[in-house]
């Protein structure tokens, strides 16, 4: 996670320097606020990654002397075929359309469908404990 925190540190520095330069050059308040807020968001993410990297063991990506074979092995479980991401994308699109046209009734329907799709995706492989 140290590599990721360094990436966000660079992003944060860039946006803060760009915001300071934009303040003196353009003097346009919305752009100034957007650049400073973007730098602040980069700072939040970089700080989170730095905080998490202290708690986790070192990964091959964090070791400059690591070999490619150091990262070999299981990465995790990935579903071989799931239809929940399609439903999730459709529900998210419905919520976006409802927000764009400000249809509250459609927003409620889309939010319910979005919660159902997220729940279906999260609990797709959940197995109940056996009853005795």
């Amino acid at each position: 996670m140290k590599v990721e925190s360094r990436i966000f540190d660079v992003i944060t520095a860039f946006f803060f320097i760009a915001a300071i330069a934009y303040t003196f050059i353009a003097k346009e308040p919305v752009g100034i606020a957007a650049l400073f807020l973007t730098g602040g968001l980069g700072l939040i993410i970089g700080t989170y990654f730095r905080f998490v990297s202290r708690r986790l063991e070192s990964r091959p990506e964090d070791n400059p002397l690591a070999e490619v074979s150091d990262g070999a092995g299981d990465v995790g479980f990935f579903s071989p075929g799931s239809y929940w991401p399609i439903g999730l994308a459709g529900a998210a699109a419905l919520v976006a359309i409802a927000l764009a046209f400000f249809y509250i009734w459609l927003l409620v329907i889309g939010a319910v469908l979005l919660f159902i799709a997220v729940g279906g995706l999260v609990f797709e492989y959940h197995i109940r404990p056996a009853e005795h």
Side-chain angles (χ1 to χ4, degrees):
M1 295 294 254
K2 293 177 184 173
V3 174
E4 291 88 351
S5 67
R6 287 188 201 122
I7 290 171
F8 278 98
D9 289 343
V10 170
I11 290 171
T12 300
F14 169 77
F15 278 111
F16 279 139
I17 291 169
I20 292 169
Y22 194 78
T23 301
F24 292 115
I25 294 170
K27 296 184 182 1
E28 190 260 323
V30 175
I32 294 168
L35 286 171
F36 274 113
L37 288 174
T38 304
L41 289 173
L43 181 65
I44 290 170
I45 296 169
T47 304
Y48 172 75
F49 281 155
R50 197 174 309 105
F51 181 73
V52 169
S53 70
R54 291 185 201 149
R55 293 181 170 198
L56 297 177
E57 59 189 44
S58 183
R59 301 179 306 163
E61 291 89 351
D62 297 329
N63 184 4
L65 301 175
E67 297 290 328
V68 174
S69 61
D70 292 340
D74 288 337
V75 178
F77 175 73
F78 299 97
S79 177
S82 174
Y83 293 109
W84 285 111
I86 297 169
L88 185 64
L94 193 64
V95 168
I97 290 171
L99 285 173
F101 292 110
F102 201 64
Y103 292 150
I104 300 298
W105 60 271
L106 189 59
L107 184 62
V108 171
I109 293 170
V112 168
L113 291 175
L114 190 64
F115 284 128
I116 290 170
V118 167
L121 185 65
V122 169
F123 295 113
E124 183 173 12
Y125 291 102
H126 177 71
I127 300 172
R128 273 186 281 225
E131 296 179 18
H132 297 293

